[in-house]
Amino acid sequence: VKCWDLETNKVVRQYHGHLSGVYALSLHPVLDLLVTAGRDSVARVWDIRTKQQVHVLMGHRSTVSAVECQEADPQVITGSMDSTVRLWDLAAGKTMSTLTHHKKSVRALALHPTEFGFASASADGIKQWRCPKGDFVQNFEGHAAIVNSLSLNSDGVLVSGGDDGSMRFWDWKSGHCFQDTATVAQPGSLDSENGIFCSTFDRTGFRLITGEADKTIKIWKEDEEATEESHPIDFRPSLSRRRF
Protein backbone atom coordinates (compact mmCIF):
# COMPACT_ATOMS: atom_id res chain seq x y z
CA VAL A 1 0.00 0.00 0.00
CA LYS A 2 1.49 3.33 -1.04
CA CYS A 3 0.78 6.76 0.43
CA TRP A 4 1.15 9.61 -2.06
CA ASP A 5 1.85 13.31 -1.60
CA LEU A 6 -0.56 14.93 -4.06
CA GLU A 7 1.42 18.17 -4.39
CA THR A 8 4.73 16.61 -5.38
CA ASN A 9 3.17 13.46 -6.91
CA LYS A 10 5.62 11.24 -5.04
CA VAL A 11 5.27 8.20 -2.79
CA VAL A 12 5.74 9.31 0.82
CA ARG A 13 5.22 6.05 2.72
CA GLN A 14 4.75 2.37 1.99
CA TYR A 15 2.92 -0.09 4.20
CA HIS A 16 4.34 -3.61 3.85
CA GLY A 17 2.64 -6.65 5.30
CA HIS A 18 -0.12 -7.97 3.07
CA LEU A 19 0.57 -11.45 1.75
CA SER A 20 -1.50 -11.00 -1.40
CA GLY A 21 -3.52 -8.46 -3.39
CA VAL A 22 -5.05 -5.48 -1.56
CA TYR A 23 -8.71 -5.04 -2.50
CA ALA A 24 -10.00 -2.26 -0.24
CA LEU A 25 -8.83 0.44 2.11
CA SER A 26 -10.40 3.04 4.36
CA LEU A 27 -9.05 5.95 6.39
CA HIS A 28 -10.30 6.45 9.92
CA PRO A 29 -12.18 9.79 10.10
CA VAL A 30 -10.66 10.87 13.44
CA LEU A 31 -7.59 8.77 14.27
CA ASP A 32 -4.41 8.58 12.20
CA LEU A 33 -5.24 5.05 11.15
CA LEU A 34 -5.51 3.27 7.82
CA VAL A 35 -7.36 -0.05 7.45
CA THR A 36 -6.56 -2.21 4.42
CA ALA A 37 -8.00 -5.55 3.40
CA GLY A 38 -7.34 -8.03 0.66
CA ARG A 39 -6.89 -11.54 -0.59
CA ASP A 40 -5.05 -12.80 2.50
CA SER A 41 -8.42 -12.86 4.37
CA VAL A 42 -7.44 -10.28 6.99
CA ALA A 43 -7.86 -6.56 7.56
CA ARG A 44 -4.71 -4.79 8.67
CA VAL A 45 -4.73 -1.60 10.76
CA TRP A 46 -1.78 0.74 10.18
CA ASP A 47 -0.52 3.83 11.98
CA ILE A 48 -0.33 6.27 9.05
CA ARG A 49 2.63 8.26 10.36
CA THR A 50 4.92 5.52 11.71
CA LYS A 51 4.01 2.89 9.06
CA GLN A 52 3.66 0.34 11.88
CA GLN A 53 1.01 -2.37 11.76
CA VAL A 54 -1.21 -1.88 14.82
CA HIS A 55 -3.65 -4.80 14.45
CA VAL A 56 -4.32 -7.76 12.23
CA LEU A 57 -8.08 -8.33 12.22
CA MET A 58 -8.38 -12.09 11.66
CA GLY A 59 -11.54 -14.14 11.36
CA HIS A 60 -12.70 -14.09 7.76
CA ARG A 61 -12.23 -17.31 5.84
CA SER A 62 -11.89 -15.76 2.39
CA THR A 63 -10.94 -12.55 0.56
CA VAL A 64 -11.98 -9.36 2.35
CA SER A 65 -13.43 -7.24 -0.45
CA ALA A 66 -14.81 -4.19 1.39
CA VAL A 67 -13.87 -2.21 4.50
CA GLU A 68 -15.35 0.93 6.08
CA CYS A 69 -14.31 3.05 9.09
CA GLN A 70 -16.42 5.31 11.28
CA GLU A 71 -15.96 7.27 14.51
CA ALA A 72 -18.13 5.27 16.91
CA ASP A 73 -18.12 1.53 17.66
CA PRO A 74 -18.04 -0.57 15.58
CA GLN A 75 -15.21 1.54 14.18
CA VAL A 76 -14.29 -0.98 11.47
CA ILE A 77 -16.75 -2.96 9.31
CA THR A 78 -15.55 -5.54 6.78
CA GLY A 79 -17.33 -7.55 4.11
CA SER A 80 -15.85 -10.74 2.74
CA MET A 81 -16.15 -13.33 0.00
CA ASP A 82 -17.06 -15.85 2.72
CA SER A 83 -20.49 -14.11 2.62
CA THR A 84 -20.18 -12.58 6.10
CA VAL A 85 -19.95 -9.02 7.41
CA ARG A 86 -17.91 -8.49 10.57
CA LEU A 87 -18.05 -5.58 13.02
CA TRP A 88 -14.73 -5.07 14.83
CA ASP A 89 -13.71 -3.71 18.21
CA LEU A 90 -10.74 -1.59 17.14
CA ALA A 91 -9.25 -1.23 20.62
CA ALA A 92 -9.12 -4.98 21.27
CA GLY A 93 -8.61 -6.03 17.64
CA LYS A 94 -11.42 -8.60 17.95
CA THR A 95 -14.76 -9.28 16.28
CA MET A 96 -17.76 -7.70 18.01
CA SER A 97 -20.33 -9.52 15.87
CA THR A 98 -20.59 -11.50 12.64
CA LEU A 99 -23.53 -10.99 10.28
CA THR A 100 -24.28 -14.17 8.33
CA HIS A 101 -27.45 -13.16 6.47
CA HIS A 102 -25.90 -13.03 2.99
CA LYS A 103 -25.72 -16.22 0.95
CA LYS A 104 -23.04 -15.02 -1.49
CA SER A 105 -19.86 -12.94 -1.45
CA VAL A 106 -20.23 -9.49 0.12
CA ARG A 107 -18.58 -7.17 -2.38
CA ALA A 108 -19.51 -3.67 -1.20
CA LEU A 109 -20.35 -1.67 1.92
CA ALA A 110 -21.71 1.86 2.31
CA LEU A 111 -21.97 3.89 5.52
CA HIS A 112 -24.78 6.38 5.99
CA PRO A 113 -23.25 9.89 6.42
CA THR A 114 -25.62 11.00 9.20
CA GLU A 115 -27.54 7.96 10.45
CA PHE A 116 -25.80 5.27 12.49
CA GLY A 117 -26.18 2.47 9.96
CA PHE A 118 -24.80 0.91 6.81
CA ALA A 119 -25.68 -1.22 3.78
CA SER A 120 -24.00 -4.32 2.38
CA ALA A 121 -24.27 -5.70 -1.15
CA SER A 122 -23.93 -9.18 -2.54
CA ALA A 123 -25.10 -11.10 -5.60
CA ASP A 124 -28.13 -12.21 -3.58
CA GLY A 125 -29.26 -8.69 -2.75
CA ILE A 126 -28.62 -5.56 -0.70
CA LYS A 127 -29.29 -5.39 3.02
CA GLN A 128 -29.58 -2.47 5.43
CA TRP A 129 -28.19 -2.69 8.98
CA ARG A 130 -28.33 -0.64 12.14
CA CYS A 131 -25.24 -0.03 14.26
CA PRO A 132 -23.79 -0.68 16.83
CA LYS A 133 -24.98 -4.30 17.09
CA GLY A 134 -25.58 -4.89 13.38
CA ASP A 135 -29.36 -5.28 13.65
CA PHE A 136 -30.99 -6.21 10.34
CA VAL A 137 -33.41 -3.51 9.08
CA GLN A 138 -34.59 -4.42 5.58
CA ASN A 139 -33.76 -5.84 2.18
CA PHE A 140 -33.40 -3.79 -1.00
CA GLU A 141 -34.86 -6.33 -3.40
CA GLY A 142 -34.74 -6.34 -7.17
CA HIS A 143 -31.17 -5.75 -8.38
CA ALA A 144 -30.66 -9.02 -10.24
CA ALA A 145 -26.92 -8.71 -10.81
CA ILE A 146 -23.60 -9.08 -9.03
CA VAL A 147 -23.47 -5.75 -7.16
CA ASN A 148 -19.89 -4.46 -7.07
CA SER A 149 -20.40 -1.03 -5.57
CA LEU A 150 -22.65 0.92 -3.24
CA SER A 151 -22.79 4.68 -2.70
CA LEU A 152 -24.94 6.61 -0.27
CA ASN A 153 -25.46 10.34 0.16
CA SER A 154 -26.96 12.44 2.95
CA ASP A 155 -30.28 12.73 1.10
CA GLY A 156 -30.83 9.02 1.62
CA VAL A 157 -30.16 7.97 -1.98
CA LEU A 158 -28.44 4.60 -2.22
CA VAL A 159 -26.94 3.70 -5.61
CA SER A 160 -25.98 0.13 -6.47
CA GLY A 161 -23.80 -0.63 -9.49
CA GLY A 162 -23.81 -4.06 -11.08
CA ASP A 163 -21.39 -6.23 -12.99
CA ASP A 164 -23.65 -6.01 -16.06
CA GLY A 165 -23.68 -2.17 -16.11
CA SER A 166 -27.05 -1.86 -14.38
CA MET A 167 -27.57 0.95 -11.85
CA ARG A 168 -30.36 1.18 -9.32
CA PHE A 169 -31.32 4.14 -7.16
CA TRP A 170 -32.97 3.30 -3.83
CA ASP A 171 -34.71 5.26 -1.10
CA TRP A 172 -32.83 4.55 2.15
CA LYS A 173 -35.88 4.78 4.42
CA SER A 174 -38.44 2.73 2.51
CA GLY A 175 -36.18 0.45 0.45
CA HIS A 176 -38.04 1.46 -2.73
CA CYS A 177 -36.16 1.43 -6.05
CA PHE A 178 -37.25 4.72 -7.63
CA GLN A 179 -35.01 4.57 -10.69
CA ASP A 180 -33.52 1.77 -12.74
CA THR A 181 -31.02 2.60 -15.46
CA ALA A 182 -27.91 1.27 -17.15
CA THR A 183 -24.54 2.78 -17.84
CA VAL A 184 -23.65 4.14 -21.27
CA ALA A 185 -21.04 1.97 -22.96
CA GLN A 186 -17.97 3.74 -24.26
CA PRO A 187 -17.93 3.66 -28.11
CA GLY A 188 -15.58 0.95 -29.32
CA SER A 189 -15.75 -1.12 -26.15
CA LEU A 190 -17.04 -4.67 -25.96
CA ASP A 191 -20.50 -5.54 -24.67
CA SER A 192 -18.87 -7.39 -21.79
CA GLU A 193 -17.08 -4.22 -20.69
CA ASN A 194 -20.04 -2.36 -19.25
CA GLY A 195 -19.59 -3.41 -15.61
CA ILE A 196 -19.40 -0.91 -12.77
CA PHE A 197 -16.51 -1.61 -10.39
CA CYS A 198 -16.65 1.32 -7.99
CA SER A 199 -18.69 4.43 -7.31
CA THR A 200 -18.81 7.38 -4.96
CA PHE A 201 -20.72 10.59 -4.45
CA ASP A 202 -18.78 13.84 -4.40
CA ARG A 203 -18.76 16.13 -1.34
CA THR A 204 -22.04 17.81 -2.34
CA GLY A 205 -23.90 14.53 -2.81
CA PHE A 206 -25.32 15.70 -6.16
CA ARG A 207 -22.71 14.17 -8.47
CA LEU A 208 -22.14 10.42 -8.74
CA ILE A 209 -18.77 9.19 -10.01
CA THR A 210 -18.39 5.64 -11.33
CA GLY A 211 -15.34 3.64 -12.41
CA GLU A 212 -16.18 1.11 -15.08
CA ALA A 213 -14.86 -1.88 -16.99
CA ASP A 214 -14.60 0.02 -20.29
CA LYS A 215 -11.65 1.98 -18.80
CA THR A 216 -13.76 5.08 -18.17
CA ILE A 217 -14.64 7.21 -15.18
CA LYS A 218 -18.13 8.65 -15.61
CA ILE A 219 -19.74 11.52 -13.72
CA TRP A 220 -23.54 11.54 -13.40
CA LYS A 221 -25.84 14.37 -12.33
CA GLU A 222 -29.52 14.81 -11.65
CA ASP A 223 -31.80 15.38 -14.64
CA GLU A 224 -32.76 19.04 -14.29
CA GLU A 225 -35.79 18.66 -16.55
CA ALA A 226 -37.28 15.68 -14.74
CA THR A 227 -40.81 16.16 -13.44
CA GLU A 228 -43.25 14.01 -11.50
CA GLU A 229 -45.02 13.25 -14.78
CA SER A 230 -41.90 12.21 -16.70
CA HIS A 231 -40.56 10.08 -13.83
CA PRO A 232 -43.58 8.76 -11.92
CA ILE A 233 -42.93 6.83 -8.70
CA ASP A 234 -44.81 3.55 -8.49
CA PHE A 235 -44.49 2.85 -4.79
CA ARG A 236 -46.75 0.25 -3.18
CA PRO A 237 -45.54 -0.44 0.35
CA SER A 238 -46.42 -3.86 1.71
CA LEU A 239 -47.53 -4.29 5.30
CA SER A 240 -45.61 -7.52 5.76
CA ARG A 241 -41.89 -6.98 5.35
CA ARG A 242 -39.77 -10.07 4.83
CA ARG A 243 -37.12 -10.12 7.51
CA PHE A 244 -34.47 -12.39 5.96
Side-chain angles (χ1 to χ4, degrees), residues 21-240:
V22 181
Y23 278 30
L25 55 84
S26 179
L27 286 167
H28 196 285
V30 180
L31 307 171
D32 277 339
L33 292 177
L34 167 71
V35 183
T36 62
R39 222 164 54 202
D40 51 2
S41 308
V42 297
R44 297 177 190 269
V45 184
W46 309 87
D47 185 317
I48 290 180
R49 305 207 174 280
T50 64
K51 300 180 283 191
Q52 295 299 313
Q53 188 170 281
V54 183
H55 282 307
V56 182
L57 306 179
M58 292 187 291
H60 284 296
R61 296 187 308 280
S62 185
T63 299
V64 184
S65 52
V67 60
E68 291 286 351
C69 290
Q70 59 185 5
E71 290 180 42
D73 284 334
Q75 294 187 51
V76 179
I77 304 168
T78 57
S80 169
M81 300 278 188
D82 63 8
S83 70
T84 63
V85 176
R86 282 181 183 255
L87 315 180
W88 300 88
D89 181 345
L90 188 58
K94 291 190 169 68
T95 303
M96 285 168 60
S97 55
T98 307
L99 313 178
T100 58
H101 298 50
H102 282 290
K103 306 285 189 296
K104 305 229 173 127
S105 302
V106 179
R107 291 167 178 263
L109 297 170
L111 292 174
H112 196 285
T114 51
E115 282 182 27
F116 199 31
F118 68 97
S120 61
S122 159
D124 65 349
I126 303 160
K127 295 178 188 293
Q128 181 183 336
W129 312 89
R130 191 184 296 114
C131 293
K133 298 269 176 47
D135 304 314
F136 175 76
V137 181
Q138 64 179 345
N139 283 311
F140 297 94
E141 293 179 348
H143 198 164
I146 298 171
V147 179
N148 282 331
S149 73
L150 284 179
S151 295
L152 182 57
N153 69 5
S154 52
D155 289 338
V157 177
L158 177 71
V159 180
S160 56
D163 220 29
D164 57 356
S166 57
M167 295 167 66
R168 293 205 169 216
F169 295 79
W170 311 84
D171 176 42
W172 176 257
K173 288 271 194 300
S174 64
H176 173 62
C177 176
F178 62 86
Q179 191 172 352
D180 177 6
T181 182
T183 184
V184 184
Q186 179 78 350
S189 63
L190 304 171
D191 290 342
S192 59
E193 288 182 336
N194 60 354
I196 299 170
F197 288 150
C198 56
S199 64
T200 183
F201 280 101
D202 70 351
R203 288 292 178 89
T204 63
F206 294 124
R207 297 281 189 276
L208 175 71
I209 307 164
T210 57
E212 307 194 2
D214 59 1
K215 310 181 187 68
T216 61
I217 296 170
K218 298 191 176 80
I219 302 179
W220 308 78
K221 71 181 176 82
E222 290 182 26
D223 186 355
E224 291 156 358
E225 296 170 2
T227 61
E228 292 177 12
E229 287 77 27
S230 66
H231 292 73
I233 292 179
D234 180 27
F235 179 40
R236 296 191 191 91
S238 61
L239 290 173
S240 64

